[in-house]
Amino acid sequence: MAFDIEMIKAVYARFPERIAAARKAVGRPLTLTEKILYSHLSEGEVSQAFERGKSYVDFQPDRVAMQDATAQMALLQFMQAGRDRVAVPSTVHCDHLIQAEVGAVKDLDKAKDKNREVYDFLASVSNKYGIGFWKPGAGIIHQVVLENYAFPGGMMIGTDSHTPNAGGLGMIAIGVGGADACDVMAGLPWELKFPKLIGVKLTGKMSGWTSAKDVILKVAGILTVKGGTGAVVEYFGEGARSLSATGKGTICNMGAEIGATTSIFGYDEKSAAYLEGTGRADIATLANGIAEHLTGDSEVYTEPENYFDQVIEINLSELEPHVNGPFTPDLAWPISKFAAAVKENGWPAKLDVGLIGSCTNSSYEDISRAASLAQQAVDKKLTAKSEYTITPGSEQVRYTVDRDGFLDTFGKMGGVVLANACGPCIGQWARHGADKQEKNSIITSFNRNFAKRADGNPNTHAFVASPEIVTALAIAGDLTFNPLTDTLLNEDGQSVKLDEPKGLELPTKGFAVEDAGYLAPAEDGSVVDVIVDPKSDRLQLLESFPAWEGADLKGLKLLIKAKGKCTTDHISMAGPWLRYRGHLDNISNNMLIGAVNSFNDKTNSVKNQLTGEYGEVPATQRHYKQMGIGTVVVGDENYGEGSSREHAAMEPRFLGVRAILVKSFARIHETNLKKQGMLALTFDDPFDYDKVLEDDSIDIIGLDSFAPGKSLQVVLHHADGSSDTIKVNHTYNEGQIGWFKAGSALNLIKAGI
């Protein structure tokens, strides 16, 4: 479990020289983001200035973190790389496969039994290859990383889209697919397009009901779900320095909902306090020694418009609590306007469930502030009108808040404590009655609220807010209740008002835990066997994808033309499908079943051009594959937004889809497609999307001269004998074109190229 202090010393030792070289190359002062990025380049590249949003650059991350759902495929790929041990410190965290149903103890016991073969595989492969293993129940990956591994100025990649949580401690932490993690664990550099920079200046100081969650809810409303695409969001100003480290983590965590590559805060007194409070005072001492390098240059923050591509300013003293949703995390409502929005839009005002916790809001500060409201409910004789659940972020947090009496307080209010795991936030929620698909409302302190995400019910109106607002509304049982202004009737018929929540950033008695849930790997992994049952329906060893044939792709069929929002949830659903994350063949049966077919407005219903009949997407694609016919998937804007799940790229590749053609891609998904040897293409003219017809056969022309910056042609052969030739673009560089030609990036690793 111990962090690698020698590694951190080495990172800090190179900071001064590399930052000086980078400042000279750029010819101006540097943002914090630029400092950390340049410090993680090879020495030969530090002297170069890179064009934001255009230059692909190889970075050298310090760490890799993987959650259990994505780690299965990442490690199955790593096993093919031919290494005896991972090249950088790496960890696996078992947090995604635990389904919430009745409560922490029973749910965890059930998960351990149900997922035993997956946990055994992950434990054994971790043990063999030098990877730290966090057992089921140890906590959610991002909270555990923040408590144990994140450090100012470091760089980490993680196989989860909310990896940026570590930005709360000044770390460049980026969500990636399993193939990227595999590359870094195999000792290869990690490639990223040098990001654009968005600066968020925070002034003033929060008070009362407002929390750090409200900052990102406000930012999401400003930038929307794709406004941060291709950019790092850097927060600065007096307001930033006033926030707790875990509050900053909340903001960075949910930055994934605006499409940002990552988000980050500079190192300050709050960072040092958190490091010391979590047993890492020696890191704080090291960071204090180079503190000037762990924040942006002063000139940058004095005149930010000269150094950032976009600047947003938010006065925390004036910021209202927000509620975002439903169905999208960027529909932002100040609490003063939310009740009217509920009424005007006809959303169910009755609140069925309030859920707090998750990787976004499960710190000691979050729990203590929510508990202060629960205690008020008990003291003021208020009974919670809604169901109420609490998801601690780690065993360390759970143990500490239990010791300090907060869990008992929640129990008196009627709250149910769930396991230290993702649970309802990712659809791992056995919500009773959800199958009836009744119209209802829930509110959470989670990060995402796409339709069907939490409970599978498309009619569940999910809203996102801070733990404090969630708790207050759960007590009221009414979305139109404004805790800042409104009163409630208690058991005695008296009108009572909730006081402002109170809490502590860190426990006064310090953190405590009996068993954090960590298993260190074997010193000699050569004697360890990886456990995979060849008859398993949950785990399947991988076979290499075939290389490109060396010619243009002709006679492809249109599989589906997806309409509107098509997230990785639509492409590869979570929930019950998580059990197949280690079995590519089985999980491919969920491919694109959530995408809406633009020709009939139905999900999981596409026309099979060979039979003329409509059928499920995976079955139709398997028929094409059986007949040796490749296909194309066409999509809309920001295709593949949401979770980093690599399966959304691997499943189409495995079943024989050759290209994804869309108006625009979400960053992680586009990279995942490239890694798997897929063609990720965009319409040069977005209106060409309308030219794609249901019975089209498709040719992709120009692959014999496939080159960076050079467009390709797509010929749409229509059923009536006519055709349209359209221009399509791509963002492949030479290395990525090599992945395509080889069949996948992993094929090149295995070949030693």
Side-chain angles (χ1 to χ4, degrees):
M1 186 170 70
F3 46 83
D4 191 334
I5 194 69
E6 295 304 319
M7 178 267 286
I8 297 172
K9 288 179 180 178
V11 171
Y12 286 175
R14 67 178 184 245
F15 256 65
E17 182 178 347
R18 293 197 178 183
I19 289 174
R23 194 178 285 119
K24 182 178 179 181
V26 175
R28 56 168 173 75
L30 298 175
T31 64
L32 170 62
T33 303
E34 290 170 319
K35 288 181 178 181
I36 300 177
L37 291 178
Y38 274 101
S39 72
H40 286 83
L41 296 175
S42 65
E43 289 187 47
E45 291 183 303
V46 173
S47 60
Q48 302 176 49
F50 299 100
E51 191 171 1
R52 295 177 187 171
K54 294 185 178 180
S55 302
Y56 278 92
V57 186
D58 286 341
F59 293 98
Q60 300 172 317
D62 306 307
R63 295 201 64 85
V64 172
M66 297 167 282
Q67 42 96 332
D68 51 356
T70 50
Q72 295 171 61
M73 195 57 66
L75 292 173
L76 285 166
Q77 292 178 86
F78 178 77
M79 288 172 65
Q80 299 184 66
R83 286 190 64 98
D84 296 330
R85 200 170 184 87
V86 290
V88 299
S90 304
T91 50
V92 168
H93 304 258
C94 295
D95 60 1
H96 271 56
L97 302 180
I98 302 167
Q99 187 176 53
E101 186 171 7
V102 295
V105 175
K106 290 184 178 179
D107 291 348
L108 182 57
D109 287 343
K110 184 177 180 180
K112 287 179 179 178
D113 182 61
K114 183 179 180 181
N115 304 308
R116 188 173 306 281
E117 65 176 312
V118 172
Y119 294 146
D120 287 347
F121 163 70
L122 292 174
S124 64
V125 73
S126 297
N127 198 25
K128 183 175 184 65
Y129 292 109
I131 299 168
F133 181 73
W134 290 82
K135 297 182 292 186
I140 306 173
I141 177 172
H142 312 302
Q143 180 67 29
V144 173
V145 165
L146 195 71
E147 292 175 0
N148 295 277
Y149 301 119
F151 67 95
M155 174 180 275
M156 178 180 72
I157 61 170
T159 61
D160 189 281
S161 54
H162 294 99
T163 299
N165 190 81
L169 265 182
M171 191 175 207
I172 290 287
I174 300 175
V176 300
D180 280 332
C182 177
D183 286 0
V184 173
M185 290 189 294
L188 299 180
W190 173 63
E191 184 180 68
L192 176 72
K193 188 183 292 184
F194 205 92
K196 295 182 179 180
L197 302 177
I198 297 174
V200 179
K201 182 179 182 179
L202 301 180
T203 62
K205 189 174 182 179
M206 294 184 307
S207 61
W209 285 89
T210 307
S211 73
K213 183 64 164 279
D214 299 306
V215 175
I216 187 58
L217 294 177
K218 173 75 171 179
V219 171
I222 295 170
L223 290 176
T224 77
V225 291
K226 60 180 182 178
T229 302
V232 172
V233 182
E234 183 172 323
Y235 292 83
F236 62 94
E238 60 175 329
R241 293 189 295 274
S242 71
L243 300 174
S244 67
T246 51
K248 292 169 184 172
T250 292
I251 294 169
C252 293
N253 177 298
M254 199 172 161
E257 307 332 311
I258 58 173
T261 301
T262 193
S263 302
I264 193 167
F265 284 80
Y267 178 73
D268 57 23
E269 296 84 355
K270 299 285 189 176
S271 312
Y274 186 73
L275 287 169
E276 292 167 0
T278 50
R280 294 174 287 172
D282 43 359
I283 296 180
T285 299
L286 291 174
N288 289 337
I290 61 161
E292 64 182 290
H293 299 305
L294 298 177
T295 186
D297 289 334
S298 59
E299 300 94 326
V300 170
Y301 298 149
T302 301
E303 298 181 289
E305 62 279 356
N306 294 333
Y307 303 97
F308 292 97
D309 298 287
Q310 181 181 355
V311 178
I312 297 169
E313 185 168 339
I314 297 174
N315 186 341
L316 300 183
S317 300
E318 300 174 354
L319 181 65
E320 278 190 67
H322 275 60
V323 179
N324 285 25
F327 306 128
T328 183
D330 60 353
L331 187 59
W333 304 99
I335 192 69
S336 61
K337 298 180 180 179
F338 182 57
V342 171
K343 296 172 183 176
E344 291 169 8
N345 289 283
W347 299 328
K350 177 181 177 292
L351 181 63
D352 281 11
V353 192
L355 306 98
I356 69 165
S358 86
C359 66
T360 319
N361 280 108
S362 57
S363 66
Y364 187 89
E365 180 180 25
D366 292 325
I367 300 297
S368 64
R369 281 172 63 86
S372 75
L373 294 171
Q375 186 63 53
Q376 287 187 55
V378 174
D379 295 343
K380 297 183 179 184
K381 298 183 179 181
L382 293 167
T383 302
K385 299 297 191 297
S386 306
E387 291 183 39
Y388 183 70
T389 69
I390 306 94
T391 301
S394 70
E395 175 58 15
Q396 178 168 269
V397 166
R398 188 212 63 80
Y399 188 94
T400 304
V401 298
D402 188 22
R403 178 201 66 189
D404 293 348
F406 298 144
L407 297 188
D408 182 58
T409 299
F410 288 131
K412 292 176 181 177
M413 195 189 82
V416 175
V417 179
L418 300 177
N420 312 323
C422 301
C425 185
I426 60 163
Q428 282 284 56
W429 185 18
R431 185 182 180 191
H432 305 293
D435 57 324
K436 298 177 183 178
Q437 300 201 348
E438 295 174 342
K439 191 175 180 181
N440 72 101
S441 289
I442 66 173
I443 189 166
T444 80
S445 68
F446 306 161
N447 40 48
R448 290 195 174 133
N449 59 341
F450 301 135
K452 300 193 288 186
R453 179 173 174 87
D455 62 2
N457 179 2
N459 298 311
T460 293
H461 292 58
F463 298 88
V464 180
S466 68
E468 299 92 318
I469 294 298
V470 170
T471 303
L473 294 185
I475 293 170
D478 184 356
L479 286 180
T480 65
F481 173 68
N482 182 348
L484 281 70
T485 58
D486 299 346
T487 59
L488 296 168
L489 282 178
N490 69 5
E491 296 171 5
D492 296 333
Q494 299 172 325
S495 292
V496 296
K497 189 171 183 294
L498 294 173
D499 299 323
E500 296 174 350
K502 306 290 184 183
L504 296 169
E505 293 181 9
L506 295 167
T508 54
K509 299 178 185 177
F511 285 105
V513 68
E514 288 185 347
D515 178 9
Y518 177 75
L519 294 177
E523 289 292 328
D524 179 9
S526 65
V527 299
V528 177
D529 293 324
V530 176
I531 302 172
V532 177
D533 182 349
K535 298 179 181 178
S536 172
D537 72 342
R538 297 194 65 177
L539 294 166
Q540 178 188 52
L541 297 178
L542 295 177
E543 295 183 3
S544 300
F545 290 134
W548 172 56
E549 303 91 321
D552 289 339
L553 303 180
K554 296 185 177 181
L556 307 176
K557 299 296 185 183
L558 175 70
L559 176 61
I560 186 173
K561 179 179 171 181
K563 177 182 178 182
K565 186 184 287 289
C566 192
T567 71
T568 50
D569 280 313
H570 295 88
I571 304 167
S572 177
M573 287 184 177
W577 291 95
L578 285 172
R579 69 176 277 107
Y580 300 120
R581 282 292 180 89
H583 198 293
L584 184 55
D585 195 357
N586 284 346
I587 199 172
S588 293
N589 288 322
N590 78 359
M591 185 191 72
L592 285 160
I593 64 176
V596 176
N597 183 352
S598 66
F599 298 110
N600 60 11
D601 286 329
K602 295 181 180 180
T603 59
N604 204 21
S605 175
V606 294
K607 187 175 183 179
N608 184 329
Q609 293 188 41
L610 302 182
T611 65
E613 299 175 351
Y614 283 84
E616 296 179 346
V617 182
T620 302
Q621 179 58 38
R622 286 184 185 275
H623 187 212
Y624 285 136
K625 181 179 181 180
Q626 183 182 11
M627 302 304 293
I629 297 172
T631 60
V632 176
V633 169
V634 173
D636 214 317
E637 296 280 5
N638 208 30
Y639 182 89
E641 70 175 276
S643 299
S644 67
R645 64 193 61 153
E646 188 174 22
H647 301 75
M650 295 189 77
E651 292 171 31
R653 179 71 167 107
F654 175 73
L655 291 182
V657 177
R658 301 303 301 271
I660 311 292
L661 173 59
V662 301
K663 294 180 182 178
S664 64
F665 284 106
R667 175 190 62 83
I668 297 176
H669 187 61
E670 182 180 20
T671 299
N672 286 347
L673 290 169
K674 292 177 179 180
K675 289 275 184 178
Q676 302 305 332
M678 294 279 285
L679 281 174
L681 307 174
T682 56
F683 292 102
D684 182 68
D685 180 355
F687 290 102
D688 284 341
Y689 169 90
D690 299 323
K691 295 179 180 178
V692 180
L693 303 181
E694 189 171 30
D695 292 302
D696 281 352
S697 290
I698 301 170
D699 300 337
I700 301 175
I701 308 300
L703 292 174
D704 57 345
S705 56
F706 195 10
K710 185 177 181 181
S711 298
L712 299 172
Q713 284 189 331
V714 164
V715 182
L716 305 171
H717 298 282
H718 306 309
D720 63 3
S722 64
S723 65
D724 282 298
T725 300
I726 62 176
K727 179 181 177 182
V728 298
N729 300 320
H730 64 84
T731 60
Y732 288 75
N733 59 26
E734 289 288 359
Q736 294 168 341
I737 291 172
W739 301 342
F740 168 73
K741 292 181 176 179
S744 71
L746 185 58
N747 286 354
L748 288 183
I749 295 175
K750 288 193 292 185
I753 299 175

